[in-house]
Amino acid sequence: MAHPQIFNVNKYLSDEKINVQHICHEPEDIDLLSNVLKKKRENLIVDYSKEVSQESIKNFRELIMRRSNNEPVAYILKTKEFWSKDFIVDRNTLIPRPETELLVDLALDHVFNSEVPRYLDLCCGSGALALSIAHESKKAFVVGADLSLSALKIAGSNADRNFLSDKVFWVGSDLFESLNFSEFDVIVCNPPWGRQKEKADRPFLELIIENGTVSHLMHSAHATHIRPFFESRNWSVEKYGEFDFDLPAKYSHHLKEKDSTKVGFWRLSPN
């Protein structure tokens, strides 16, 4: 019977992984190792030595190989932190991103003089936006809507694990097919994306026009159609920020393993 191997955690993360191709992201390595050893990430960093079985090392190598093949760590671990909460994620949902927390801030800041603010998270996926808003706005009425029943099932599980089951209502709907947008004070939407056809965003832009209220849009910073689309309909357009947005190396049109694109933020207001 083989004895457990004693190793230095920091040395293992820096040396052992040299034998595996395309591995260079130490924070993600620690997340994977923490999952294998069932030990909190912060404890791993502090605990320099740990008895680790060969089976654990084998499992760790398997996980790290999956990541080296561009499988997102969130899908490997089936969880992702957002708004200081853990959310279940899988291939039926997008992975919540830190910068998307801006939508939560914007949603909470744009309800005035409403005793019971009414929020809609359209294309809710894992429910991260709806549940984060519900947690922060105790009196809010929050609805999460998605076409995918699989995504809604995950959103419901996330509501259970974050003790918010009685705070959010889930609705199966293809955009506004089963909803009346005029019933909501604020609508947030972070729809699925990937390789898009020309004018694929048109239904969302038209919904903004139809809704007729101030809206914030995140889109490619290089988009040239946003301003003329809205100004031709007598709307004011203000572009107020840009940043680099990391892309998952998942789609065939991404030429690099780790790529990024520049996105912009627009404030759209009816005149």
Side-chain angles (χ1 to χ4, degrees):
M1 180 176 178
H3 293 288
Q5 179 177 344
I6 306 292
F7 78 108
N8 178 294
V9 171
N10 287 352
K11 184 175 186 299
Y12 185 72
L13 288 174
S14 61
D15 293 346
E16 191 72 21
K17 66 184 181 187
I18 291 174
N19 297 322
V20 185
Q21 291 181 342
H22 309 307
I23 296 169
C24 57
H25 301 286
E26 290 192 13
E28 292 184 338
D29 295 347
I30 296 173
D31 289 336
L32 295 174
L33 187 60
S34 137
N35 177 265
V36 168
L37 300 181
K38 310 300 181 189
K39 194 176 180 72
K40 288 185 178 180
R41 190 178 190 278
E42 55 269 27
N43 293 341
L44 266 183
I45 297 171
V46 172
D47 185 6
Y48 282 87
S49 295
K50 166 124 182 123
E51 287 193 359
V52 177
S53 67
Q54 293 296 326
E55 183 67 19
S56 292
I57 293 176
K58 176 177 174 289
N59 291 340
F60 174 66
R61 283 178 171 170
E62 288 174 355
L63 294 185
I64 215 168
M65 280 301 298
R66 287 171 63 185
R67 183 177 64 70
S68 73
N69 289 324
N70 298 321
E71 183 175 357
V73 169
Y75 285 155
I76 295 174
L77 301 181
K78 301 188 184 302
T79 185
K80 179 66 175 179
E81 183 181 348
F82 183 86
W83 206 259
S84 300
K85 296 173 183 59
D86 286 326
F87 288 88
I88 301 166
V89 294
D90 68 11
R91 295 288 179 178
N92 294 297
T93 69
L94 290 178
I95 299 170
R97 302 174 62 91
E99 52 268 32
T100 308
E101 293 184 354
L102 174 63
L103 286 178
V104 179
D105 285 325
L106 288 171
L108 295 171
D109 287 344
H110 280 76
V111 172
F112 306 101
N113 303 320
S114 181
E115 223 175 278
V116 183
R118 301 172 69 86
Y119 293 92
L120 170 64
D121 178 6
L122 193 61
C123 307
C124 65
S126 66
L129 288 173
L131 293 167
S132 299
I133 291 169
H135 179 266
E136 295 300 326
S137 184
K138 305 300 182 185
K139 295 182 179 180
F141 175 81
V142 184
V143 173
D146 204 290
L147 176 63
S148 168
L149 296 181
S150 297
L152 289 174
K153 184 177 180 181
I154 291 172
S157 297
N158 282 323
D160 291 339
R161 73 184 294 166
N162 286 290
F163 307 103
L164 291 166
S165 297
D166 59 340
K167 293 282 291 178
V168 180
F169 298 89
W170 307 107
V171 177
S173 181
D174 185 359
L175 296 180
F176 285 104
E177 186 179 79
S178 305
L179 299 161
N180 181 356
F181 66 81
S182 64
E183 295 179 354
F184 298 95
D185 298 304
V186 175
I187 300 168
V188 295
C189 183
N190 184 24
W193 54 273
R195 189 176 186 91
Q196 296 185 356
K197 297 179 181 178
E198 187 179 357
K199 297 185 179 180
D201 61 353
R202 197 55 53 89
F204 297 98
L205 303 185
E206 290 173 349
L207 282 173
I208 292 174
I209 297 291
E210 187 178 352
N211 193 28
T213 58
V214 174
S215 302
H216 293 263
L217 175 69
M218 185 181 82
H219 207 298
S220 168
H222 307 296
T224 58
H225 63 292
I226 303 298
R227 185 173 296 279
F229 179 89
F230 284 94
E231 288 184 345
S232 68
R233 291 158 174 81
N234 197 31
W235 280 55
S236 296
V237 179
E238 176 194 358
K239 188 177 182 182
Y240 60 87
E242 292 185 1
F243 71 92
D244 290 328
F245 189 90
D246 290 335
L247 296 171
K250 178 180 176 182
Y251 304 103
S252 59
H253 61 298
H254 296 168
L255 301 180
K256 301 177 183 177
E257 289 182 7
K258 296 290 182 180
D259 206 350
S260 66
T261 188
K262 192 170 287 295
V263 298
F265 286 96
W266 283 263
R267 187 178 189 273
L268 311 167
S269 311
N271 291 323

